[in-house]
Amino acid sequence: MSKSVLLKSSLAKKYWMAATGLFLCLFLVGHLLGNLQLITHTGESGRRAFNEYAYFMAHNPFIKVMSWMTYISILFHIIDGILLTVENKKARPIGYAHAAGTKSSTWSSRNMALLGSLILVFIVMHGAHFWYKAKVKHDMLLHKVTVQSPNGPAELYVTTAGSYLPVQGVKVKNHTEFFEPSVDIKLGEGYKDLHSVVIAFFSGKETNGVPGNENALFAVIFYVIAMVVLAFHLMHGFASAFQSLGARHPKYTDTIKNVGNGFAILIPLLFAIIPVIIWKLYN
Amino acid sequence: MAAKTINITLKIWRQKNCNSKGNMETYTLNDVSTASSFLEMLDQLNEQLINDKKEPVAFDHDCREGICGMCSLYINGRAHGPDNGVTTCQLHMRMFEDGATIYVEPWRSAAFPVVKDLVVDRSAFDRIQQAGGFVSVNTSGRTMDANAIPIPKEDADKAFEAAACIGCGACVATCKNGSAMLFVGAKVSQYALLPQGKVEATQRALNMVRQMDDEGFGNCTNTGACEIECPKGISLDNIARLNREFLKASLVSNK
Amino acid sequence: MSILDSKIPAGNISDKWTDYKDHLKLVAPNNRPKIDIIVVGTGLAGASAAASLGEMGYNVKAFCFQDSPRRAHSIAAQGGINAAKNYQNDGDSVYRLFYDTIKGGDYRAREANVHRLAEVSSSIIDQCVAQGVPFAREYGGLLDNRSFGGTQVQRTFYAAGQTGQQLLLGAYSALSRQIGLGRVKMYNRHEMLELVKVDGKARGIIARNLVTGELERHSAHAVVLASGGYGNVYFLSTNAMGSNVTAAWKAHKQGALFANPCYVQIHPTCVPVHGTNQAKLTLMSESLRNSGRIWVPKKKEDAEAIRSGKLKPTELKEEERDYYLERKYPAFGNLVPRDVASRAAKEVCDEGRGIEANDTNEGVYLDFSTEIKNKGKQAAYAAGDHNPSEEKIITLGKKWLEEKYGNLFQMYQKITDENPYETPMKIYPAVHYTMGGVWVDYNLQSSIPGCFVTGEANFSDHGANRLGASALMQGLADGYFVLPYTISNYLADEIRTGKISTESSEFEVAENNVKSQIDKFLSNNGTKSVDYFHKKLGLIMWNKVGMGRNAQGLQEAINEIDQLKKDFYIDVYVPGSNDELNPQLEKALRVADLIDLGQLMAMDALQRKESCGGHFREEYQDAEGETLRDDENFSFVGAWEYKGDDIKQEQLHKEELKYEFIKIAARNYK
Ligand SMILES: Cc1cc2nc3c(=O)[nH]c(=O)nc-3n(C[C@H](O)[C@H](O)[C@H](O)COP(=O)(O)OP(=O)(O)OC[C@H]3O[C@@H](n4cnc5c(N)ncnc54)[C@H](O)[C@@H]3O)c2cc1C
Ligand code: HEM
Ligand code: SF4
Ligand code: FES
């Protein structure tokens, strides 16, 4: 198989590029739908919904498979992209003295590798901001609420079963599991308070115990720019993937192009307005 | 409309042979008729150089009517120059202003090494063709009657449009990756569209792509520049068809 | 008997080839790999031959001077290829194609060869379709045909205006397959500069590697020359820049007779010359004559006004125009054969009625306005509008034209910057095809044993004028269906010969000849470029050995070329060195041969005291200015024998043309 044309030929590299790219587009849709909850619901219910969603994403077996595929796709897409780019550079060792014409192709199409690399930078940063905290460093607070009890304000953890457990009365083990402090009995599981992390990150304000991000405005701008970059990547990438896979016909090619442009604008735009709105809401 | 004359400055790539390094040289040429073709202008330059006992500029050309595919030249940043849908030999000097500076460079591609000055070696295209660009039918005088297999006009027309490629290499020269997909796509398409070519379709797609890769052409990023610069208007449809043909071939073959 | 034995087999014309072929000697498959064949040229004639011989199992080496075999000049043919398929059921047959070709050639071609050509024509189309050549088709999926160049049947197969390209790419694909299989070794950018004879037989060539300048010796048991035509002797022609006579001429110098050099076809519809820097002329497909009407102003003054830009052709009233072809040849009108149309154009321009504002004022109009109106009206009616407005008619008419000739119109506009939908096209005749060439017998073998010549390079099938769409047919017929048989017959006696050494003195001498010629040019240190001499030669040829010839002019041409040749060798400057790509050196070597050939053409034209086909001697015309053949005295092929550096010493041999199956008649297109 390692010698198969399905791996080593130039065309096959493009099939993989297209397949992984399109899969990542699918991922973007899923990811966006979840993220939109950051702005569609507000207040505690919004926080709750979002953290529930994050929990679901982390535990549903189907989603798990999908997320592994996403990781693999990104990895493949990146490696393949680098291989292609290196080969392409080698194919023209001496460049032209008079720069190539710019009318015959779009800027995006000529700069996919640059755009991709920028996206990679973004993915790394984005991962460090959230994914790394939640999945590797595990220093994320758990979702808790403060209620007014007769004895004054009381802090309660929200459990995945929908019930509450007093913060004082439980011991947290394995990052998210609540245990009876004296006997080793599991009482339930909590939600990571990703919502508050996000809000604190983009609003700059302390949120449910998460300290505000001092560079929140900078973060918002960075995310918006990243989405512009993604938009340009997709502006060429979406339709290009269909061409790479041979899907082209007068009947539907224009449609693919239009859908691709729509996709390339709409998805990053919706992603981008989330931090903007959060920042606006709190500042 | 009436022909006038212009004076121009030329910046031309000069390189003794494939082993030497080249550089851009500057020449001035006066009284160029706007009715002359670009190559006639170069003839005029060469005549001037010869009269000055200098070495004339070598460039490829033969038919001078846009069909043999022998002429090349990257002119002011565009393969076959600033006009659309023409080869360099069909480009006319009326496209240039008086006093213009014109850059003339050879095709740049690892697979097309420079032979001398503006002349490059495009035999890689021949080798791709030799790898599978044919129908294996011997001469016999006993093949079946030409009308024995009707071919839908639409397919025949599309096959013809693909077969109109002149093998000039402008697609490679233009492509930022130096990819030969338009050329190979056109050839594979011509045969894929005709019943005569279907029998060997699998082998053809595999072999021609293998040869294309071996020659050191780049990959296709679907920028579409080739289609726009192709003097014969070969469509990206042909690249898509090649993608399909190769996908099919790689799934059914045991290679 | 003269030394010319055409070896035409006996028997009835329609059985000759079959019978003959059935009795030719064969070479067994196991012996073929022991036999080497050199094929010079990869046009239709060469590529088809090399591919077929490779398939058969011979060891083939093929040569071309371009960077790829696919670029041979055949690629430029536009109109189509004839074949007697009778797909259109208009009464076509092998006999009719045979007859039309003989008549078109003004009864100066060999009957047996032409009949064979007509016989195999049908197989050519079958072969090409099997190879995947995308000919034009009708909606039903079957092949389409058009009528072409003065015939009354539709037998021309075509692929838009790029038939030559598609056919050549077909032959190139067959050749590529053999190269890939290792049965043909291809030498691109190689130019044959000498034919090597050993013991009287052609045994090899000296070729120059055009990239490195190296002279290479290649030996073989037979040499096939398929090196194309020599139209470039006129400097300006529709031929590719590299087309030349060198390969054929070297064979001639080694003893191959050169036949009918004066038969040149001048094509009526080319874009006129624009200026002195012009390098070549562009053909506008003959098919345009199906839709365009040719005219010049009736009055000289109007022509002058047009040339000076004071009058637009569209402003000239109908009565003021002279549709001279329709006037002179009411039966065929604008569709008269090429030589007739060309001469008529020259005549009106000689009268001062030419319309092109160039040095010579030579040009006539090809006007589509009538066709626009006719077709526009038809289209409107077809769409149900029986009372269309003038405007609508014109729009629809232009649309029709665009569909039919769009690419040609665009090409014309690119060259001239004029819009042929709005203003009539300007056209003028230009040198296009050379019927003459190396003399060959029925086997396509020249007078040197083992040296075969095919395609435009030989003289065999078109007489004094070639019909449209017949050169492609001949090239492929020779390469696919004739040569493979006849060359095997020759090679059958070579199976015991063994490898031919390239170390023999013959190769040594040949190589040294070439070397000294190259050295001579490079060390000449003259003052003028090769093109300077080539242009001069072209001018002499065009003015004195062109469309109209007379004894005085021809004699002058012979003398002028004598002088030109002297000047050339004294004063030509060839820059650069031998050990590199040196296009000027290539040109110098070619022009040297073209000069010799030009002189021979003038001699041949002088010798032929009659008018026939493309050869028009002003002294021999009838009262209405038509060609006057002299069948009694000139019904022969004039084949010249080289007698040393002074071309004037060449000796004429005559091959009598016998018409056993066709009755000779006057060629009449009135
Ligand atoms: C513009 C134009 C349009 C035409 N249209 C038609 C048409 O519609 N129908 C038709 O029937 N005919 C047409 N003709 C005529 C026809 O195209 C040619 O007669 C025919 O193609 C000649 O084919 P060939 O194989 O003999 O030679 P070519 O195609 O000229 O090939 C010559 C080959 O010989 C090689 N060669 C030459 N000299 C040497 C050397 N010394 N060493 C090595 N290699 C050498 C060249 O590299 C080339 O490969 C047209 C011609 C022109 C110019
Ligand atoms: C969410 C993230 C991403 C998505 C949705 C995405 C999507 C796509 C799509 C659909 C294509 C078109 C494939 C084709 O032409 O067949 C593509 C091409 C490309 N992508 Fe990405 N991509 C992403 C991230 C990246 C990253 C991180 C890189 C980093 C290296 C990258 C590099 C490239 C390159 C170089 C190409 C062009 C390949 C070529 O045609 O030569 N992409 N991408
Ligand atoms: S596809 Fe177009 S640009 Fe490329 S070689 Fe063919 S004709 Fe030239
Ligand atoms: S010289 Fe033949 S295409 Fe330009």
Side-chain angles (χ1 to χ4, degrees):
Chain A
M1 176 76 187
S2 69
K3 288 231 170 89
S4 160
V5 290
L6 278 173
L7 278 183
K8 60 168 194 169
S9 72
S10 58
L11 268 69
K13 286 195 196 104
K14 285 302 313 250
Y15 298 152
W16 289 113
M17 205 64 195
T20 53
L22 284 181
F23 186 79
L24 291 177
C25 288
L26 203 67
F27 153 77
L28 287 180
V29 175
H31 192 30
L32 176 67
L33 288 178
N35 287 6
L36 279 177
Q37 301 185 58
L38 285 166
I39 51 169
T40 46
H41 307 333
T42 46
E44 181 55 27
S45 69
R47 179 181 174 212
R48 178 78 178 265
F50 184 78
N51 285 343
E52 275 175 17
Y53 153 78
Y55 178 85
F56 171 77
M57 295 304 273
H59 293 82
N60 180 292
F62 172 71
I63 299 293
K64 268 193 166 160
V65 173
M66 293 298 269
S67 64
W68 274 109
M69 281 177 67
T70 306
Y71 300 142
I72 294 170
S73 289
I74 291 191
L75 201 67
F76 240 78
H77 193 80
I78 293 171
I79 295 172
D80 208 8
I82 293 172
L83 286 179
L84 287 169
T85 308
V86 168
E87 282 176 7
N88 293 345
K89 287 272 172 295
K90 263 202 271 178
R92 173 156 308 134
I94 304 176
Y96 291 105
H98 192 291
T102 49
K103 283 193 210 107
S104 50
S105 57
T106 59
W107 183 87
S108 301
S109 70
R110 278 179 273 122
N111 291 283
M112 287 300 274
L114 172 69
L115 292 165
S117 307
L118 292 176
I119 297 175
L120 181 60
V121 170
F122 169 74
I123 292 177
V124 171
M125 302 284 280
H126 180 54
H129 297 149
F130 304 110
W131 179 86
Y132 178 72
K133 280 188 190 153
K135 302 269 163 125
V136 183
K137 213 166 152 216
H138 297 296
D139 63 351
M140 215 174 259
L141 298 174
L142 295 180
H143 191 147
K144 54 190 173 191
V145 291
T146 312
V147 289
Q148 288 306 326
S149 76
N151 324 341
E155 288 206 303
L156 300 172
Y157 281 124
V158 180
T159 73
T160 56
S163 58
Y164 297 88
L165 288 170
V167 171
Q168 304 302 330
V170 297
K171 201 171 129 196
V172 178
K173 274 200 198 169
N174 301 332
H175 312 301
T176 54
E177 290 168 8
F178 303 126
F179 279 79
E180 160 62 34
S182 44
V183 278
D184 207 23
I185 294 174
K186 185 175 168 185
L187 301 172
E189 198 177 352
Y191 293 112
K192 289 182 184 161
D193 194 3
L194 186 57
H195 185 267
S196 301
V197 174
V198 174
I199 301 294
F201 185 76
F202 289 122
S203 67
K205 301 285 185 297
E206 192 270 355
T207 313
N208 299 321
V210 184
N213 174 6
E214 284 166 28
N215 300 318
L217 186 59
F218 182 75
V220 171
I221 293 171
F222 174 73
Y223 270 66
V224 170
I225 291 176
M227 288 308 108
V228 173
V229 169
L230 179 63
F232 277 104
H233 194 74
L234 293 177
M235 199 85 89
H236 175 68
F238 188 92
S240 170
F242 286 88
Q243 167 80 355
S244 293
L245 293 169
R248 182 187 177 93
H249 194 279
K251 256 194 283 189
Y252 54 71
T253 292
D254 281 348
T255 314
I256 292 179
K257 281 220 175 92
N258 294 335
V259 170
N261 286 340
F263 187 90
I265 293 169
L266 191 69
I267 303 285
L269 181 74
L270 291 176
F271 269 119
I273 59 169
I274 296 172
V276 174
I277 287 181
I278 293 175
W279 196 80
K280 288 265 329 166
L281 273 178
Y282 293 86
N283 288 281
Chain B
M1 188 192 80
K4 44 174 197 172
T5 59
I6 55 174
N7 301 336
I8 52 174
T9 304
L10 290 157
K11 299 208 177 271
I12 300 183
W13 182 261
R14 302 304 306 264
Q15 179 173 339
K16 185 124 185 77
N17 56 46
C18 62
N19 301 319
S20 56
K21 274 187 80 170
N23 63 296
M24 299 295 282
E25 293 271 353
T26 307
Y27 304 93
T28 52
L29 189 62
N30 295 338
D31 300 325
V32 178
S33 163
T34 53
S36 355
S37 72
F38 195 84
L39 296 186
E40 283 163 353
M41 180 276 289
L42 287 182
D43 291 339
Q44 195 179 334
L45 172 71
N46 279 346
E47 192 75 18
Q48 177 178 312
L49 290 172
I50 293 169
N51 288 337
D52 294 348
K53 301 251 158 172
K54 292 195 186 120
E55 176 109 1
V57 181
F59 59 91
D60 262 333
H61 64 106
D62 198 25
C63 75
R64 299 234 181 164
E65 54 183 73
I67 193 74
C68 74
M70 184 116 175
C71 63
S72 51
L73 305 191
Y74 205 75
I75 302 163
N76 277 351
R78 286 187 69 185
H80 292 304
D83 207 352
N84 291 323
V86 297
T87 52
T88 292
C89 59
Q90 294 173 298
L91 176 68
H92 278 72
M93 291 310 292
R94 66 180 76 91
M95 297 296 294
F96 299 91
E97 302 286 325
D98 191 20
T101 298
I102 307 173
Y103 283 76
V104 191
E105 299 175 72
W107 287 168
R108 295 286 188 203
S109 156
F112 292 166
V114 171
V115 174
K116 180 177 182 179
D117 296 343
L118 302 170
V119 175
V120 299
D121 177 0
R122 285 169 288 196
S123 50
F125 272 8
D126 286 330
R127 290 187 292 272
I128 293 175
Q129 183 101 16
Q130 286 153 19
F134 46 76
V135 174
S136 297
V137 52
N138 281 0
T139 312
S140 67
R142 289 282 178 278
T143 46
M144 68 171 117
D145 185 84
N147 260 350
I149 311 177
I151 300 174
K153 181 168 164 40
E154 202 191 327
D155 289 349
D157 287 352
K158 274 198 217 149
F160 167 74
E161 281 162 25
C165 162
I166 57 175
C168 63
C171 42
V172 175
T174 296
C175 175
K176 73 174 189 66
N177 304 340
S179 162
M181 284 286 278
L182 195 61
F183 169 79
V184 179
K187 203 71 266 164
V188 166
S189 286
Q190 177 196 342
Y191 293 117
L193 284 158
L194 299 172
Q196 291 85 350
K198 293 232 158 82
V199 182
E200 296 167 283
T202 302
Q203 285 313 308
R204 179 178 305 113
L206 293 174
N207 291 343
M208 289 183 80
V209 167
R210 178 188 34 74
Q211 191 64 35
M212 171 179 86
D213 290 351
D214 288 352
E215 296 289 349
F217 291 104
N219 307 284
C220 177
T221 300
N222 303 321
T223 69
C226 53
E227 179 186 48
I228 293 187
E229 298 295 355
C230 169
K232 295 294 139 184
I234 304 294
S235 155
L236 291 183
D237 291 353
N238 296 299
I239 294 188
R241 195 175 291 103
L242 171 59
N243 284 329
R244 289 200 291 279
E245 288 291 317
F246 187 81
L247 187 58
K248 240 190 296 175
S250 48
L251 293 176
V252 300
S253 89
N254 43 21
K255 283 201 184 164
Chain C
M1 210 181 79
S2 83
I3 60 171
L4 297 174
D5 177 6
S6 60
K7 303 210 175 81
I8 294 171
N12 189 287
I13 189 93
S14 38
D15 306 324
K16 267 187 212 273
W17 173 236
T18 318
D19 284 351
Y20 184 65
K21 202 169 53 161
D22 287 348
H23 295 94
L24 287 174
K25 282 180 273 185
L26 300 172
V27 178
N30 59 325
N31 281 326
R32 292 178 208 156
K34 294 183 214 154
I35 290 188
D36 301 322
I37 304 176
I38 285 173
V39 179
V40 178
T42 58
L44 287 180
S48 56
S52 301
L53 296 171
E55 284 161 12
M56 291 165 82
Y58 292 112
N59 231 338
V60 180
K61 291 181 177 185
F63 294 79
C64 73
F65 62 76
Q66 291 94 342
D67 72 334
S68 162
R70 64 179 290 153
R71 312 215 195 276
H73 181 53
S74 297
I75 201 101
Q78 302 174 348
I81 177 167
N82 288 332
K85 280 275 193 193
N86 195 28
Y87 281 160
Q88 306 305 327
N89 193 26
D90 47 10
D92 197 12
S93 64
V94 168
Y95 181 82
R96 268 190 211 277
L97 175 53
F98 161 60
Y99 175 82
D100 286 349
T101 309
I102 293 277
K103 176 187 172 196
D106 220 353
Y107 304 93
R108 289 293 175 264
R110 230 188 244 153
E111 266 189 342
N113 285 52
V114 175
H115 198 277
R116 175 175 67 189
L117 177 63
E119 278 172 60
V120 302
S121 65
S122 177
S123 298
I124 296 175
I125 304 302
D126 299 342
Q127 178 71 23
C128 293
V129 167
Q131 284 170 346
V133 171
F135 284 117
R137 285 176 185 267
E138 293 165 346
Y139 283 99
L142 301 182
L143 293 162
D144 193 16
N145 291 107
R146 57 165 78 144
S147 63
F148 209 72
T151 57
Q152 289 160 315
V153 293
Q154 292 172 280
R155 63 160 76 101
T156 304
F157 294 79
Y158 67 100
Q162 287 149 253
T163 317
Q165 180 197 29
Q166 293 311 316
L167 292 172
L168 183 63
L169 293 182
Y172 164 71
S173 72
L175 175 63
S176 294
R177 176 172 153 242
Q178 296 308 318
I179 298 172
L181 292 171
R183 297 199 198 118
V184 175
K185 174 126 181 58
M186 185 67 222
Y187 294 84
N188 298 336
R189 292 200 200 266
H190 274 68
E191 183 148 351
M192 164 189 165
L193 293 176
E194 190 57 285
L195 179 77
V196 184
K197 268 188 344 187
V198 180
D199 299 333
K201 289 179 175 172
R203 287 305 195 195
I205 63 170
I206 304 294
R208 179 168 178 269
N209 177 332
L210 300 181
V211 175
T212 63
E214 205 177 320
L215 293 181
E216 300 171 2
R217 302 176 185 186
H218 296 276
S219 67
H221 297 88
V223 176
V224 180
L225 302 181
S227 48
Y230 51 82
N232 276 346
V233 67
Y234 292 86
F235 186 73
L236 287 180
S237 81
T238 64
N239 284 12
M241 300 298 286
S243 297
N244 69 88
V245 78
T246 292
W249 199 255
K250 299 302 186 199
H252 177 53
K253 284 173 116 174
Q254 292 297 330
L257 303 194
F258 205 99
N260 297 338
C262 78
Y263 290 161
V264 175
Q265 180 165 80
I266 307 212
H267 197 292
T269 54
C270 301
V271 182
V273 178
H274 67 67
T276 45
N277 283 327
Q278 184 143 5
K280 82 151 258 172
L281 296 169
T282 306
L283 177 78
M284 285 285 117
S285 170
E286 182 150 45
S287 59
L288 290 173
R289 281 203 279 149
N290 287 318
S291 295
R293 299 176 69 196
I294 296 177
W295 64 273
V296 289
K298 276 191 177 147
K299 293 202 288 268
K300 253 170 91 167
E301 305 79 70
D302 286 341
E304 264 160 37
I306 286 179
R307 288 199 298 264
S308 62
K310 288 190 207 112
L311 184 68
K312 284 205 192 110
T314 42
E315 292 165 356
L316 206 66
K317 288 204 214 60
E318 273 307 299
E319 320 69 272
E320 302 290 323
R321 304 177 177 190
D322 178 13
Y323 295 93
Y324 57 88
L325 286 179
E326 296 172 24
R327 173 171 57 80
K328 288 167 76 173
Y329 308 99
F332 278 73
N334 294 300
L335 293 175
V336 288
R338 292 175 177 173
D339 53 332
V340 180
S342 294
R343 240 171 353 252
K346 174 173 162 31
E347 214 170 274
V348 294
C349 290
D350 285 349
E351 289 164 17
R353 295 193 285 148
I355 48 76
E356 178 67 291
N358 57 15
D359 296 347
T360 52
N361 299 336
E362 285 171 339
V364 300
Y365 286 124
L366 179 60
D367 196 325
F368 298 93
S369 54
T370 311
E371 189 80 342
I372 289 180
K373 286 198 194 108
N374 289 344
K375 296 296 177 193
K377 203 158 163 192
Q378 276 174 21
Y381 271 60
D385 183 352
H386 288 229
N387 199 5
S389 68
E390 186 78 0
E391 227 170 286
K392 183 164 178 193
I393 290 179
I394 303 245
T395 319
L396 288 173
K398 284 183 185 163
K399 214 175 122 209
W400 184 89
L401 272 187
E402 190 180 344
E403 268 170 33
K404 189 112 178 159
Y405 307 112
N407 57 343
L408 289 171
F409 276 42
Q410 193 202 355
M411 178 155 116
Y412 177 85
Q413 189 161 5
K414 291 282 183 202
I415 297 173
T416 61
D417 207 21
E418 285 184 8
N419 180 350
Y421 295 97
E422 304 295 341
T423 182
M425 252 185 204
K426 294 172 184 167
I427 54 162
Y428 198 65
V431 174
H432 177 60
Y433 182 87
T434 50
M435 281 74 70
V438 178
W439 183 88
V440 289
D441 62 16
Y442 189 69
N443 298 316
L444 303 181
Q445 183 167 240
S446 70
S447 30
I448 302 174
C451 174
F452 293 76
V453 186
T454 61
E456 193 173 340
N458 75 21
F459 89 105
S460 70
D461 294 354
H462 307 294
N465 174 55
R466 174 178 68 80
L467 283 186
S470 285
L472 302 181
M473 170 171 72
Q474 184 221 334
L476 289 179
D478 288 358
Y480 283 137
F481 299 118
V482 180
L483 185 81
Y485 297 96
T486 59
I487 203 171
S488 294
N489 183 55
Y490 172 80
L491 292 169
D493 296 333
E494 295 286 343
I495 52 176
R496 280 176 207 87
T497 310
K499 196 116 198 112
I500 314 277
S501 161
T502 54
E503 298 306 319
S504 61
S505 60
E506 287 87 348
F507 274 94
E508 183 87 39
V509 170
E511 186 181 325
N512 286 338
N513 275 347
V514 176
K515 209 159 168 276
S516 62
Q517 198 192 7
I518 290 174
D519 290 344
K520 162 98 183 65
F521 279 130
L522 289 173
S523 59
N524 200 40
N525 216 7
T527 62
K528 304 216 168 58
S529 69
V530 179
D531 269 356
Y532 170 87
F533 295 99
H534 194 180
K535 282 183 187 176
K536 273 198 130 169
L537 173 67
L539 223 55
I540 300 173
M541 295 302 292
W542 181 243
N543 290 333
K544 297 182 172 161
V545 200
M547 273 187 283
R549 307 158 172 186
N550 58 54
Q552 193 199 336
L554 291 167
Q555 195 53 59
E556 283 167 13
I558 293 170
N559 297 338
E560 286 169 28
I561 295 174
D562 235 9
Q563 189 56 45
L564 183 75
K565 184 170 171 179
K566 284 196 192 97
D567 295 348
F568 176 69
Y569 283 103
I570 292 169
D571 204 20
V572 70
Y573 169 61
V574 182
S577 62
N578 179 38
D579 55 4
E580 61 177 338
L581 183 72
N582 188 342
Q584 294 298 319
L585 175 62
E586 293 163 28
K587 245 196 260 186
L589 293 164
R590 291 172 194 161
V591 169
D593 294 333
L594 288 172
I595 292 176
D596 279 355
L597 167 75
Q599 201 170 27
L600 187 65
M601 288 168 72
M603 287 161 59
D604 189 45
L606 185 63
Q607 160 280 128
R608 191 163 281 280
K609 296 192 186 68
E610 64 162 350
S611 294
C612 59
H615 168 67
F616 187 70
R617 282 285 296 266
E618 284 153 2
E619 304 94 317
Y620 309 101
Q621 50 180 310
D622 66 15
E624 290 163 63
E626 299 303 319
T627 53
L628 209 57
R629 260 188 1 242
D630 179 353
D631 293 328
E632 195 139 329
N633 297 307
F634 288 93
S635 186
F636 63 78
V637 174
W640 296 85
E641 186 184 356
Y642 187 76
K643 291 281 181 191
D645 192 44
D646 184 2
I647 298 302
K648 297 196 295 298
Q649 303 307 318
E650 293 217 2
Q651 187 191 340
L652 179 69
H653 299 269
K654 297 178 183 174
E655 177 199 334
E656 214 59 48
L657 289 168
K658 291 186 217 78
Y659 289 91
E660 300 173 59
F661 302 93
I662 283 186
K663 223 172 94 58
I664 295 204
R667 209 168 59 125
N668 185 355
Y669 291 95
K670 296 234 167 187

